Amino acid sequence: MNVYSVIKKPLITEKSTAEKDAKNVVAFVVDSNANKIQIQEAVEKLFNVKVKTVRTINVAGKVKRAGRGFGKRANWKKAYVSLHEGSNIDFFEV
């Protein structure tokens, strides 16, 4: 699997930013078929950091209404990547 197809985008929310500051853990939206080893290798290659652990979560898509009809958003996969001390990923460099 290609490195760029494994990691789709960083997940930047209040919770993920607080976890990054407190525990050096970064969140990503990843491909649904990617496993933890592929995610670890992709993060290490893209950002030149050392990964300690990877935790993954399958997120179910929400059911939404549009007028009289109902639709469902797509299911997606989230990965929390724990980095070794001294490793850091900055998405917004100031």
Side-chain angles (χ1 to χ4, degrees):
M1 210 178 237
N2 184 8
V3 176
Y4 295 104
S5 65
V6 172
I7 296 176
K8 294 185 179 178
K9 62 182 178 180
L11 188 64
I12 301 171
T13 61
E14 250 182 272
K15 181 180 176 181
S16 66
T17 305
E19 203 159 342
K20 181 178 184 289
D21 294 339
K23 302 176 188 173
N24 204 17
V25 174
V26 184
F28 293 99
V29 176
V30 295
D31 185 62
S32 299
N33 298 321
N35 60 28
K36 293 181 181 185
I37 296 168
Q38 291 171 332
I39 295 167
Q40 178 178 352
E41 290 173 355
V43 170
E44 287 179 346
K45 284 183 185 176
L46 279 175
F47 299 105
N48 296 322
V49 293
K50 287 293 280 179
V51 173
K52 193 188 309 184
T53 59
V54 176
R55 295 176 295 151
T56 59
I57 302 161
N58 287 313
V59 182
K62 294 181 178 181
V63 176
K64 293 289 186 176
R65 276 190 62 170
R68 293 186 316 182
F70 288 90
K72 184 177 177 293
R73 291 186 181 170
N75 299 334
W76 55 287
K77 192 172 197 175
K78 182 186 338 185
Y80 286 106
V81 179
S82 178
L83 303 174
H84 278 286
E85 292 181 24
S87 297
N88 190 16
I89 296 175
D90 281 330
F91 298 116
F92 305 109
E93 298 208 14
V94 180

